Amino acid sequence: MDYERFCSQILKIDPKIRFASVYDEWANRVGGGMREGVESLLSDHAEKELVSLSIMDWKSRKDTSKWLGKTKYTLAEYDTIKRFSFYLGNDYLLLVSCEKETDTNIVVDEVIRLYYENQE
């Protein structure tokens, strides 16, 4: 999959989406980033820490999948933003952040649709 293209498509879903990036299981960014013209709310250090914590959470969810089934996504809503983690198979994690008022269902449905479209 072309992760740069995939993340670019995600940013086109809604102008309130601030960030879309894919990481491997070692927290290496393999595509995407911040929307052009949008300033990150996190320092570089805080962003790396958040990605590392998201990777650890992703790995722990893999362990529970034998009982509950595979996790598709998780959502954290903060005072200022929403942050989604989408689990792309066993090897990649997509992180998406958007303004708090963004429609959660649209983001989830469109990201999943784009993921399957990009599988072809």
Side-chain angles (χ1 to χ4, degrees), residues 5-80:
R5 180 174 171 260
F6 177 51
C7 290
S8 176
Q9 291 171 327
I10 291 168
L11 292 173
K12 291 177 185 174
I13 293 170
D14 188 320
K16 293 178 184 146
I17 296 175
R18 304 171 49 84
F19 176 85
S21 193
V22 176
Y23 297 87
D24 67 16
E25 63 183 310
W26 297 280
N28 297 312
R29 185 180 295 181
V30 296
M34 189 67 65
R35 177 184 292 282
E36 190 173 320
V38 173
E39 191 171 319
S40 178
L41 300 174
L42 301 172
S43 67
D44 287 343
H45 176 76
E47 180 182 341
K48 287 177 185 174
E49 189 173 318
L50 180 62
V51 169
S52 294
L53 290 170
S54 297
I55 296 290
M56 288 183 347
D57 183 51
W58 172 40
K59 288 179 179 180
S60 71
R61 288 178 190 281
K62 284 184 193 181
D63 293 340
T64 62
S65 67
K66 57 189 159 205
W67 300 291
L68 301 175
K70 190 173 170 182
T71 303
K72 295 180 182 182
Y73 74 93
T74 59
L75 167 64
E77 185 170 327
Y78 300 89
D79 290 337
T80 54

